[in-house]
mmCIF file of all heavy atoms in Angstrom:
data_model
loop_
_atom_site.group_PDB
_atom_site.id
_atom_site.type_symbol
_atom_site.label_atom_id
_atom_site.label_comp_id
_atom_site.label_asym_id
_atom_site.label_seq_id
_atom_site.Cartn_x
_atom_site.Cartn_y
_atom_site.Cartn_z
ATOM 1 N N TYR A 39 -2.375 -72.451 88.462
ATOM 2 C CA TYR A 39 -1.800 -71.239 89.048
ATOM 3 C C TYR A 39 -1.727 -71.334 90.563
ATOM 4 O O TYR A 39 -0.672 -71.104 91.179
ATOM 5 C CB TYR A 39 -2.629 -70.035 88.620
ATOM 6 C CG TYR A 39 -2.326 -68.780 89.393
ATOM 7 C CD1 TYR A 39 -1.039 -68.243 89.418
ATOM 8 C CD2 TYR A 39 -3.330 -68.123 90.104
ATOM 9 C CE1 TYR A 39 -0.749 -67.092 90.135
ATOM 10 C CE2 TYR A 39 -3.060 -66.967 90.814
ATOM 11 C CZ TYR A 39 -1.769 -66.455 90.830
ATOM 12 O OH TYR A 39 -1.499 -65.324 91.537
ATOM 13 N N ARG A 40 -2.834 -71.686 91.181
ATOM 14 C CA ARG A 40 -2.858 -71.714 92.645
ATOM 15 C C ARG A 40 -1.869 -72.749 93.207
ATOM 16 O O ARG A 40 -1.199 -72.515 94.210
ATOM 17 C CB ARG A 40 -4.270 -72.016 93.146
ATOM 18 C CG ARG A 40 -5.214 -70.795 93.113
ATOM 19 C CD ARG A 40 -4.839 -69.800 94.179
ATOM 20 N NE ARG A 40 -5.519 -68.520 94.055
ATOM 21 C CZ ARG A 40 -6.629 -68.185 94.707
ATOM 22 N NH1 ARG A 40 -7.187 -69.043 95.526
ATOM 23 N NH2 ARG A 40 -7.150 -66.984 94.550
ATOM 24 N N LEU A 41 -1.779 -73.901 92.547
ATOM 25 C CA LEU A 41 -0.902 -74.949 93.073
ATOM 26 C C LEU A 41 0.561 -74.668 92.750
ATOM 27 O O LEU A 41 1.446 -74.923 93.577
ATOM 28 C CB LEU A 41 -1.336 -76.311 92.527
ATOM 29 C CG LEU A 41 -2.671 -76.786 93.106
ATOM 30 C CD1 LEU A 41 -3.206 -77.987 92.341
ATOM 31 C CD2 LEU A 41 -2.519 -77.138 94.594
ATOM 32 N N ALA A 42 0.829 -74.129 91.568
ATOM 33 C CA ALA A 42 2.216 -73.769 91.239
ATOM 34 C C ALA A 42 2.702 -72.658 92.162
ATOM 35 O O ALA A 42 3.843 -72.650 92.627
ATOM 36 C CB ALA A 42 2.312 -73.342 89.778
ATOM 37 N N GLN A 43 1.808 -71.728 92.428
ATOM 38 C CA GLN A 43 2.143 -70.623 93.340
ATOM 39 C C GLN A 43 2.487 -71.155 94.730
ATOM 40 O O GLN A 43 3.346 -70.608 95.431
ATOM 41 C CB GLN A 43 0.940 -69.670 93.411
ATOM 42 C CG GLN A 43 1.165 -68.400 94.204
ATOM 43 C CD GLN A 43 -0.131 -67.595 94.301
ATOM 44 O OE1 GLN A 43 -1.208 -68.149 94.522
ATOM 45 N NE2 GLN A 43 -0.018 -66.292 94.111
ATOM 46 N N ALA A 44 1.825 -72.258 95.097
ATOM 47 C CA ALA A 44 2.073 -72.854 96.421
ATOM 48 C C ALA A 44 3.324 -73.721 96.445
ATOM 49 O O ALA A 44 3.679 -74.255 97.491
ATOM 50 C CB ALA A 44 0.853 -73.680 96.837
ATOM 51 N N GLY A 45 3.946 -73.906 95.290
ATOM 52 C CA GLY A 45 5.197 -74.661 95.252
ATOM 53 C C GLY A 45 5.098 -76.040 94.629
ATOM 54 O O GLY A 45 6.086 -76.769 94.562
ATOM 55 N N ALA A 46 3.913 -76.424 94.165
ATOM 56 C CA ALA A 46 3.760 -77.738 93.548
ATOM 57 C C ALA A 46 4.356 -77.732 92.145
ATOM 58 O O ALA A 46 4.356 -76.704 91.467
ATOM 59 C CB ALA A 46 2.284 -78.119 93.491
ATOM 60 N N SER A 47 4.847 -78.900 91.729
ATOM 61 C CA SER A 47 5.247 -79.024 90.321
ATOM 62 C C SER A 47 4.000 -79.411 89.525
ATOM 63 O O SER A 47 3.278 -80.340 89.892
ATOM 64 C CB SER A 47 6.347 -80.064 90.165
ATOM 65 O OG SER A 47 5.893 -81.336 90.574
ATOM 66 N N VAL A 48 3.753 -78.661 88.474
ATOM 67 C CA VAL A 48 2.486 -78.782 87.738
ATOM 68 C C VAL A 48 2.774 -78.838 86.249
ATOM 69 O O VAL A 48 3.611 -78.086 85.740
ATOM 70 C CB VAL A 48 1.576 -77.563 88.027
ATOM 71 C CG1 VAL A 48 0.298 -77.638 87.191
ATOM 72 C CG2 VAL A 48 1.238 -77.458 89.516
ATOM 73 N N VAL A 49 2.071 -79.711 85.566
ATOM 74 C CA VAL A 49 2.105 -79.682 84.104
ATOM 75 C C VAL A 49 0.672 -79.581 83.588
ATOM 76 O O VAL A 49 -0.231 -80.219 84.125
ATOM 77 C CB VAL A 49 2.809 -80.925 83.506
ATOM 78 C CG1 VAL A 49 2.046 -82.212 83.797
ATOM 79 C CG2 VAL A 49 3.007 -80.756 81.998
ATOM 80 N N MET A 50 0.482 -78.730 82.582
ATOM 81 C CA MET A 50 -0.805 -78.627 81.897
ATOM 82 C C MET A 50 -0.655 -79.288 80.531
ATOM 83 O O MET A 50 0.220 -78.887 79.743
ATOM 84 C CB MET A 50 -1.202 -77.154 81.712
ATOM 85 C CG MET A 50 -1.468 -76.405 83.003
ATOM 86 S SD MET A 50 -1.705 -74.617 82.708
ATOM 87 C CE MET A 50 -0.003 -74.057 82.717
ATOM 88 N N LEU A 51 -1.474 -80.281 80.252
ATOM 89 C CA LEU A 51 -1.477 -80.929 78.940
ATOM 90 C C LEU A 51 -2.639 -80.359 78.136
ATOM 91 O O LEU A 51 -3.800 -80.559 78.489
ATOM 92 C CB LEU A 51 -1.640 -82.441 79.093
ATOM 93 C CG LEU A 51 -0.552 -83.157 79.900
ATOM 94 C CD1 LEU A 51 -0.906 -84.634 80.062
ATOM 95 C CD2 LEU A 51 0.808 -82.998 79.246
ATOM 96 N N GLU A 52 -2.330 -79.638 77.082
ATOM 97 C CA GLU A 52 -3.363 -78.963 76.301
ATOM 98 C C GLU A 52 -3.447 -79.599 74.919
ATOM 99 O O GLU A 52 -2.438 -79.726 74.230
ATOM 100 C CB GLU A 52 -3.031 -77.463 76.200
ATOM 101 C CG GLU A 52 -3.875 -76.678 75.208
ATOM 102 C CD GLU A 52 -5.377 -76.830 75.437
ATOM 103 O OE1 GLU A 52 -5.821 -76.718 76.591
ATOM 104 O OE2 GLU A 52 -6.097 -77.088 74.450
ATOM 105 N N ALA A 53 -4.659 -79.984 74.549
ATOM 106 C CA ALA A 53 -4.847 -80.634 73.246
ATOM 107 C C ALA A 53 -4.626 -79.662 72.092
ATOM 108 O O ALA A 53 -4.200 -80.053 71.008
ATOM 109 C CB ALA A 53 -6.247 -81.228 73.163
ATOM 110 N N GLY A 54 -4.915 -78.387 72.328
ATOM 111 C CA GLY A 54 -4.857 -77.411 71.244
ATOM 112 C C GLY A 54 -3.511 -76.720 71.140
ATOM 113 O O GLY A 54 -2.496 -77.178 71.680
ATOM 114 N N VAL A 55 -3.535 -75.625 70.437
ATOM 115 C CA VAL A 55 -2.322 -74.846 70.187
ATOM 116 C C VAL A 55 -2.465 -73.475 70.839
ATOM 117 O O VAL A 55 -3.527 -73.117 71.341
ATOM 118 C CB VAL A 55 -2.088 -74.661 68.676
ATOM 119 C CG1 VAL A 55 -1.824 -76.000 68.018
ATOM 120 C CG2 VAL A 55 -3.280 -73.963 68.015
ATOM 121 N N ARG A 56 -1.391 -72.729 70.820
ATOM 122 C CA ARG A 56 -1.436 -71.367 71.342
ATOM 123 C C ARG A 56 -1.875 -70.418 70.228
ATOM 124 O O ARG A 56 -1.624 -70.677 69.059
ATOM 125 C CB ARG A 56 -0.068 -70.941 71.855
ATOM 126 C CG ARG A 56 -0.128 -69.763 72.804
ATOM 127 C CD ARG A 56 1.201 -69.495 73.434
ATOM 128 N NE ARG A 56 1.788 -70.712 74.019
ATOM 129 C CZ ARG A 56 2.862 -70.697 74.802
ATOM 130 N NH1 ARG A 56 3.437 -69.560 75.113
ATOM 131 N NH2 ARG A 56 3.347 -71.827 75.283
ATOM 132 N N ASN A 57 -2.527 -69.343 70.615
ATOM 133 C CA ASN A 57 -3.010 -68.391 69.619
ATOM 134 C C ASN A 57 -1.886 -67.554 69.042
ATOM 135 O O ASN A 57 -0.885 -67.298 69.718
ATOM 136 C CB ASN A 57 -4.024 -67.436 70.250
ATOM 137 C CG ASN A 57 -5.334 -68.121 70.521
ATOM 138 O OD1 ASN A 57 -5.707 -69.036 69.802
ATOM 139 N ND2 ASN A 57 -6.035 -67.694 71.548
ATOM 140 N N PRO A 58 -2.068 -67.078 67.826
ATOM 141 C CA PRO A 58 -1.197 -66.005 67.351
ATOM 142 C C PRO A 58 -1.585 -64.716 68.071
ATOM 143 O O PRO A 58 -2.370 -64.738 69.027
ATOM 144 C CB PRO A 58 -1.534 -65.936 65.862
ATOM 145 C CG PRO A 58 -2.928 -66.450 65.763
ATOM 146 C CD PRO A 58 -3.083 -67.460 66.862
ATOM 147 N N GLY A 59 -1.087 -63.577 67.654
ATOM 148 C CA GLY A 59 -1.420 -62.324 68.318
ATOM 149 C C GLY A 59 -2.888 -61.952 68.151
ATOM 150 O O GLY A 59 -3.563 -62.422 67.234
ATOM 151 N N ARG A 60 -3.357 -61.109 69.051
ATOM 152 C CA ARG A 60 -4.769 -60.721 69.010
ATOM 153 C C ARG A 60 -5.126 -59.985 67.721
ATOM 154 O O ARG A 60 -6.239 -60.128 67.195
ATOM 155 C CB ARG A 60 -5.089 -59.819 70.209
ATOM 156 C CG ARG A 60 -5.004 -60.544 71.527
ATOM 157 C CD ARG A 60 -5.217 -59.605 72.703
ATOM 158 N NE ARG A 60 -5.062 -60.326 73.949
ATOM 159 C CZ ARG A 60 -6.016 -61.046 74.516
ATOM 160 N NH1 ARG A 60 -7.208 -61.101 73.971
ATOM 161 N NH2 ARG A 60 -5.797 -61.694 75.634
ATOM 162 N N ILE A 61 -4.208 -59.175 67.232
ATOM 163 C CA ILE A 61 -4.500 -58.412 66.020
ATOM 164 C C ILE A 61 -4.666 -59.359 64.832
ATOM 165 O O ILE A 61 -5.560 -59.183 63.993
ATOM 166 C CB ILE A 61 -3.376 -57.386 65.744
ATOM 167 C CG1 ILE A 61 -3.262 -56.408 66.917
ATOM 168 C CG2 ILE A 61 -3.623 -56.653 64.449
ATOM 169 C CD1 ILE A 61 -4.532 -55.657 67.234
ATOM 170 N N GLU A 62 -3.814 -60.397 64.794
ATOM 171 C CA GLU A 62 -3.949 -61.378 63.718
ATOM 172 C C GLU A 62 -5.305 -62.079 63.805
ATOM 173 O O GLU A 62 -5.958 -62.346 62.799
ATOM 174 C CB GLU A 62 -2.827 -62.422 63.794
ATOM 175 C CG GLU A 62 -1.481 -61.927 63.312
ATOM 176 C CD GLU A 62 -0.674 -61.308 64.445
ATOM 177 O OE1 GLU A 62 -1.272 -60.835 65.435
ATOM 178 O OE2 GLU A 62 0.558 -61.282 64.330
ATOM 179 N N MET A 63 -5.731 -62.375 65.049
ATOM 180 C CA MET A 63 -7.012 -63.070 65.199
ATOM 181 C C MET A 63 -8.183 -62.168 64.820
ATOM 182 O O MET A 63 -9.133 -62.607 64.179
ATOM 183 C CB MET A 63 -7.167 -63.588 66.627
ATOM 184 C CG MET A 63 -6.289 -64.796 66.894
ATOM 185 S SD MET A 63 -6.667 -65.569 68.458
ATOM 186 C CE MET A 63 -6.051 -64.356 69.588
ATOM 187 N N ALA A 64 -8.113 -60.907 65.216
ATOM 188 C CA ALA A 64 -9.176 -59.967 64.832
ATOM 189 C C ALA A 64 -9.210 -59.841 63.313
ATOM 190 O O ALA A 64 -10.284 -59.748 62.703
ATOM 191 C CB ALA A 64 -8.935 -58.607 65.486
ATOM 192 N N GLY A 65 -8.033 -59.868 62.688
ATOM 193 C CA GLY A 65 -7.975 -59.790 61.231
ATOM 194 C C GLY A 65 -8.559 -61.025 60.575
ATOM 195 O O GLY A 65 -9.269 -60.936 59.564
ATOM 196 N N ALA A 66 -8.283 -62.199 61.153
ATOM 197 C CA ALA A 66 -8.846 -63.443 60.605
ATOM 198 C C ALA A 66 -10.364 -63.411 60.693
ATOM 199 O O ALA A 66 -11.072 -63.830 59.763
ATOM 200 C CB ALA A 66 -8.290 -64.647 61.361
ATOM 201 N N TYR A 67 -10.862 -62.885 61.790
ATOM 202 C CA TYR A 67 -12.313 -62.756 61.951
ATOM 203 C C TYR A 67 -12.887 -61.791 60.915
ATOM 204 O O TYR A 67 -13.943 -62.021 60.324
ATOM 205 C CB TYR A 67 -12.621 -62.272 63.365
ATOM 206 C CG TYR A 67 -14.051 -61.835 63.573
ATOM 207 C CD1 TYR A 67 -15.068 -62.777 63.711
ATOM 208 C CD2 TYR A 67 -14.396 -60.489 63.633
ATOM 209 C CE1 TYR A 67 -16.382 -62.381 63.898
ATOM 210 C CE2 TYR A 67 -15.699 -60.083 63.824
ATOM 211 C CZ TYR A 67 -16.693 -61.036 63.956
ATOM 212 O OH TYR A 67 -17.990 -60.640 64.140
ATOM 213 N N ALA A 68 -12.150 -60.705 60.682
ATOM 214 C CA ALA A 68 -12.647 -59.663 59.780
ATOM 215 C C ALA A 68 -12.941 -60.208 58.389
ATOM 216 O O ALA A 68 -13.914 -59.800 57.750
ATOM 217 C CB ALA A 68 -11.629 -58.521 59.697
ATOM 218 N N VAL A 69 -12.137 -61.131 57.917
ATOM 219 C CA VAL A 69 -12.316 -61.613 56.542
ATOM 220 C C VAL A 69 -12.982 -62.988 56.481
ATOM 221 O O VAL A 69 -13.120 -63.552 55.400
ATOM 222 C CB VAL A 69 -10.959 -61.653 55.801
ATOM 223 C CG1 VAL A 69 -10.377 -60.257 55.696
ATOM 224 C CG2 VAL A 69 -9.975 -62.597 56.498
ATOM 225 N N ALA A 70 -13.391 -63.515 57.643
ATOM 226 C CA ALA A 70 -14.036 -64.831 57.650
ATOM 227 C C ALA A 70 -15.431 -64.736 57.043
ATOM 228 O O ALA A 70 -16.202 -63.843 57.391
ATOM 229 C CB ALA A 70 -14.120 -65.374 59.075
ATOM 230 N N LYS A 71 -15.735 -65.664 56.162
ATOM 231 C CA LYS A 71 -17.042 -65.651 55.496
ATOM 232 C C LYS A 71 -18.167 -65.891 56.507
ATOM 233 O O LYS A 71 -19.201 -65.262 56.453
ATOM 234 C CB LYS A 71 -17.056 -66.739 54.418
ATOM 235 C CG LYS A 71 -18.260 -66.727 53.509
ATOM 236 C CD LYS A 71 -18.098 -67.789 52.417
ATOM 237 C CE LYS A 71 -19.313 -67.865 51.513
ATOM 238 N NZ LYS A 71 -19.424 -66.742 50.594
ATOM 239 N N ILE A 72 -17.941 -66.815 57.413
ATOM 240 C CA ILE A 72 -18.922 -67.106 58.466
ATOM 241 C C ILE A 72 -18.383 -66.529 59.768
ATOM 242 O O ILE A 72 -17.315 -66.928 60.234
ATOM 243 C CB ILE A 72 -19.140 -68.624 58.630
ATOM 244 C CG1 ILE A 72 -19.499 -69.272 57.288
ATOM 245 C CG2 ILE A 72 -20.208 -68.892 59.684
ATOM 246 C CD1 ILE A 72 -20.821 -68.865 56.719
ATOM 247 N N LYS A 73 -19.120 -65.619 60.384
ATOM 248 C CA LYS A 73 -18.630 -64.967 61.609
ATOM 249 C C LYS A 73 -19.036 -65.789 62.841
ATOM 250 O O LYS A 73 -19.791 -65.328 63.689
ATOM 251 C CB LYS A 73 -19.207 -63.550 61.711
ATOM 252 C CG LYS A 73 -18.868 -62.664 60.511
ATOM 253 C CD LYS A 73 -17.417 -62.243 60.542
ATOM 254 C CE LYS A 73 -17.124 -61.159 59.550
ATOM 255 N NZ LYS A 73 -16.003 -61.440 58.661
ATOM 256 N N SER A 74 -18.548 -66.978 62.933
ATOM 257 C CA SER A 74 -18.874 -67.850 64.060
ATOM 258 C C SER A 74 -17.805 -67.698 65.141
ATOM 259 O O SER A 74 -16.739 -67.125 64.893
ATOM 260 C CB SER A 74 -18.917 -69.303 63.585
ATOM 261 O OG SER A 74 -17.616 -69.705 63.182
ATOM 262 N N PRO A 75 -18.054 -68.231 66.358
ATOM 263 C CA PRO A 75 -17.038 -68.113 67.417
ATOM 264 C C PRO A 75 -15.681 -68.679 67.022
ATOM 265 O O PRO A 75 -14.641 -68.152 67.399
ATOM 266 C CB PRO A 75 -17.660 -68.896 68.581
ATOM 267 C CG PRO A 75 -19.132 -68.769 68.367
ATOM 268 C CD PRO A 75 -19.322 -68.792 66.871
#
Side-chain angles (χ1 to χ4, degrees):
Chain A
Y39 167 58
R40 281 288 169 96
L41 290 168
Q43 186 185 42
S47 62
V48 176
V49 65
M50 295 172 275
L51 300 175
E52 169 54 47
V55 295
R56 199 172 309 190
N57 287 329
R60 293 176 183 277
I61 300 303
E62 284 90 335
M63 286 190 289
Y67 168 76
V69 298
K71 188 176 177 73
I72 307 293
K73 302 287 192 232
S74 66

